[in-house]
Structure formats: structure tokens, C-alpha cells
């Protein structure tokens, strides 16, 4: 009996590996589904697109990332529409309200811009950069990776920061939260923690069902061999 027990113990790692490796082999295929299950209020298709774009940026030669923020601007600002995931541990870190630009719309964002002083939000894939203390407190710079869509983010000072006008009470009373000058502003209470979770080269995906962008984004098709070059130039402009 002792021999049988020893044999079982000795074989346990092999048995474990047999059941573990196939799941790992398919991790990339199931990440979108796994994250969508963590955030039932999010649109699974949007989460899937975010994972697709983020993985494209990394497989095209971009720096690795283990955090992914997803903003769904098709949802009203009175509802949580920002999710931050740990893609390695497969955990939902934040589910939050997030503001859009004052020229993007009222309760719902419908207009987006890449132009300086447009006071509108931008969509597409971003890479986070460094943090700083500014007029809105602790803030996180965003580098837009999509030419003509969001690549003016640094010049426009599009950053993640906390704002008093992002709060649940206002959402209930007014049917919307306050609006920014284009920044994805969040609640002051969680801003520092959320920024620390995303700083230093993590991915941010801002979605809206814009047909032109959905059809043309290289990160959603991942067939453009120049994407790594584009990102390298964007990061260089950011000084990272």
C-alpha cells in the first residue's frame, strides 16, 4: 500500500500538467470571454475588441502589458462604463463611472475628435505613460496609438484624473455626470489607486460604434506590419 501511495504522489505532477497545459494553450483564445464574465454589465463584444486590440499591439512588437482598461462610450455617463482588468490574474480591479468631453455629448457621447481644443473625447487604443501632479491633481498621461484617431492625445493633454463632477449622486439627480475637456475623468476617491494600477505602459481601449474606425483600425484587424513602428514613434514622442 505504501508503494501504491508513493506511486500516486510521484505521478501527481504529471497528471496535474496533463490537465493544466491545455487550458494555458488556449488562454489567448479565451481571455475575452474570461474578462467578460468578470464584468456582466459590460458588452462582451466590446471586451473582446479591447482584448483583440491590446494583444495586437503586443504581438506586433509593442511592450508587454498586464493591465487593460476598457471604456465603452456607447453607454450613458450615468452608468459604470470603465472596467480595469488584470489580464494575467484575470481579475476585475475597477468598475467605474467615467466622464466624456463636453463637446462629445450630454448624457451620451456621440461625437469624438482628435483635434486640439475640441473639448471632445477620443476613441481607439492608448498606451499609458507617466504620472504627474497637475491642476486636476494626480494624473496619468495617455499616448494615442492610432493615427488620425487619437494620436494627438499627448498634445491635447488627454489624461486620466479625478474630478468632483464624477459622482453617483449627480448621476442619479441629473441623469448624467459632469463632463471634462476630453479627459476620461474618474471619481476622486479612486483616482489615485486606479492610476497606479494603469501607469507605466498599460493598455486603454476606448470604444464607440464608429463604423469608419471599426473598419479601418489596424489594431482591430492586426494585419498591418507597421503597427510596431507606429507605436515606437508614439512612445518616443511621449518621451518614454
Amino acid at each position: 500500500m505504501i508503494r501504491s501511495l508513493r506511486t500516486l504522489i510521484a505521478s501527481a505532477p504529471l497528471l496535474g500538467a496533463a490537465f493544466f497545459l491545455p487550458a494555458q494553450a488556449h488562454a489567448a483564445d479565451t481571455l475575452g470571454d474570461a474578462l467578460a464574465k468578470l464584468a456582466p454589465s459590460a458588452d462582451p463584444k466590446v471586451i473582446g475588441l479591447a482584448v483583440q486590440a491590446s494583444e495586437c499591439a503586443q504581438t506586433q512588437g509593442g511592450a508587454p502589458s498586464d493591465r487593460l482598461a476598457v471604456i465603452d462610450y456607447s453607454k450613458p455617463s450615468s452608468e459604470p462604463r470603465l472596467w480595469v482588468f488584470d489580464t494575467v490574474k484575470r481579475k476585475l480591479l475597477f468598475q467605474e463611472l467615467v466622464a466624456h468631453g463636453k463637446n462629445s455629448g450630454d448624457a451620451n457621447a456621440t461625437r469624438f475628435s482628435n483635434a486640439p481644443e475640441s473639448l471632445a473625447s477620443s476613441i481607439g487604443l492608448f498606451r499609458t505613460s507617466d504620472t504627474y501632479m497637475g491642476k486636476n491633481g494626480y494624473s496619468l498621461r495617455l499616448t494615442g496609438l492610432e493615427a488620425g484617431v487619437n494620436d494627438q492625445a499627448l498634445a491635447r493633454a488627454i489624461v486620466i484624473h479625478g474630478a468632483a463632477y464624477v459622482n453617483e449622486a449627480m448621476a442619479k439627480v441629473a441623469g448624467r455626470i459632469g463632463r471634462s475637456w476630453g479627459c476620461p475623468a474618474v471619481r476622486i476617491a479612486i483616482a489615485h489607486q486606479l492610476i497606479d494600477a494603469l501607469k507605466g505602459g498599460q493598455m486603454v481601449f476606448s470604444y464607440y460604434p464608429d463604423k469608419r474606425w471599426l473598419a479601418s483600425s489596424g489594431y482591430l484587424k492586426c494585419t498591418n506590419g507597421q503597427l510596431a513602428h507606429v507605436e515606437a514613434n508614439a512612445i518616443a514622442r511621449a518621451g518614454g
Side-chain angles (χ1 to χ4, degrees):
M1 178 156 179
I2 294 175
R3 183 178 179 183
S4 298
L5 181 59
R6 287 175 177 171
T7 301
L8 179 60
I9 293 173
S11 64
L14 295 177
L15 291 171
F19 287 99
F20 184 71
L21 289 176
Q24 288 295 304
H26 294 290
D29 296 333
T30 61
L31 179 59
D33 291 337
L35 299 188
K37 290 178 181 178
L38 295 173
S41 64
D43 185 337
K45 293 181 180 179
V46 173
I47 300 297
L49 288 174
V51 169
Q52 182 180 338
S54 175
E55 290 183 342
C56 177
Q58 295 173 72
T59 58
Q60 288 281 334
S65 167
D66 58 10
R67 301 286 170 87
L68 171 62
V70 182
I71 300 173
D72 185 354
Y73 283 126
S74 69
K75 291 180 174 291
S77 68
S78 58
E79 298 179 10
R81 53 180 181 172
L82 163 64
W83 299 268
V84 178
F85 300 97
D86 183 319
T87 57
V88 175
K89 297 180 180 179
R90 298 191 177 191
K91 290 183 177 181
L92 175 63
L93 304 179
F94 297 93
Q95 177 174 281
E96 289 291 328
L97 297 170
V98 62
H100 56 251
K102 63 180 297 183
N103 285 342
S104 280
D106 192 27
N108 292 78
T110 57
R111 299 180 298 277
F112 301 89
S113 177
N114 190 39
E117 301 182 7
S118 65
L119 305 187
S121 297
S122 296
I123 55 176
L125 186 66
F126 301 79
R127 176 89 67 169
T128 66
S129 184
D130 60 321
T131 61
Y132 69 98
M133 290 296 297
K135 63 180 182 180
N136 292 306
Y138 192 51
S139 304
L140 175 62
R141 291 187 174 94
L142 299 176
T143 301
L145 303 182
E146 304 203 42
V149 176
N150 61 20
D151 61 345
Q152 294 299 309
L154 281 173
R156 297 179 59 204
I158 300 301
V159 302
I160 296 176
H161 64 79
Y165 53 75
V166 181
N167 63 79
E168 295 177 356
M170 182 175 181
K172 291 179 180 178
V173 173
R176 67 168 176 84
I177 58 175
R179 296 167 296 172
S180 68
W181 283 14
C183 295
V186 297
R187 291 187 300 124
I188 290 177
I190 56 90
H192 201 294
Q193 186 180 1
L194 184 146
I195 287 171
D196 279 347
L198 284 174
K199 66 183 180 181
Q202 305 301 330
M203 309 305 299
V204 177
F205 181 79
S206 295
Y207 170 84
Y208 187 78
D210 181 273
K211 293 182 179 179
R212 180 179 298 179
W213 167 65
L214 290 172
S216 63
S217 173
Y219 291 100
L220 296 178
K221 295 182 179 298
C222 212
T223 57
N224 188 346
Q226 297 299 313
L227 288 178
H229 178 68
V230 170
E231 177 167 348
N233 286 342
I235 298 299
R237 289 195 298 271

